[in-house]
Amino acid sequence: MHELSIATAVVAQVEEAVRTNGGARVASLRLRIGELAGVVPEALRFSFGLASEGTVLAGARLELDTVPGRARCDGCGREYAVGMPPLLWCDGCARPLAELLSGRELEIAEVALMDASEVARVDSSDARRRDSGEDRGTPRAVSDT
């Protein structure tokens, strides 16, 4: 499952950016993923939950934006949605669609940080859950909503 390595790399990049810019904790993270990138969204969500535990991204909301695959025909210049599985043949001039315009993206689009009062509130509720035993061994759910 390469989604775990993707999630681990995203967490590392965001953690470094947050640390460099003096941030505290991440409230949400938005990724742009092309439909041709070979990423299974549910596997990435699950992997992000694992990779973010114990980091500034723990409990962050993960949003995934799908970028449709589009290609252009070199023969007639038309642009097409290629779909999944991709159809890379021009309907107009019966030539292969030689130029892929979009659909292979895998980008960090946005990171939203918590403000200081939210961080304090989250930290104190985490401590209460740990002290009560409520949080032991239970991974936090990561949602796309």
Side-chain angles (χ1 to χ4, degrees):
M1 170 166 74
H2 73 283
E3 284 82 0
L4 183 56
S5 62
I6 292 169
T8 302
V10 166
V11 167
Q13 287 180 356
V14 172
E15 266 199 311
E16 178 63 27
V18 168
R19 193 172 25 257
T20 301
N21 294 298
R25 290 184 73 171
V26 175
S28 67
L29 170 65
R30 188 166 52 91
L31 303 177
R32 290 179 32 136
I33 301 174
E35 71 178 340
L36 305 174
V39 175
V40 178
E42 288 308 313
L44 182 58
R45 283 189 183 94
F46 176 78
S47 297
F48 176 77
L50 295 175
S52 65
E53 277 301 310
T55 72
V56 297
L57 288 98
R61 184 177 70 244
L62 177 62
E63 301 169 9
L64 303 177
D65 294 342
T66 301
V67 179
R70 295 199 56 79
R72 181 182 4 253
C73 174
D74 281 347
C76 65
R78 286 181 159 162
E79 288 186 18
Y80 291 94
V82 297
M84 194 59 185
L87 177 60
L88 301 173
W89 200 260
C90 179
D91 289 338
C93 67
R95 294 179 62 171
L97 298 173
E99 184 182 0
L100 189 60
L101 303 172
S102 67
R104 296 191 43 103
E105 294 81 357
L106 185 54
E107 306 167 339
I108 298 169
E110 182 180 52
V111 176
L113 302 177
M114 293 181 182
D115 66 28
S117 65
E118 290 175 309
V119 172
R121 191 169 54 248
V122 169
D123 287 344
S124 65
S125 65
D126 285 349
R128 279 195 303 276
R129 270 201 310 273
R130 268 194 315 273
D131 293 345
S132 70
E134 176 184 330
D135 198 31
R136 285 194 197 121
T138 306
R140 290 188 200 136
V142 178
S143 169
D144 65 343
T145 56

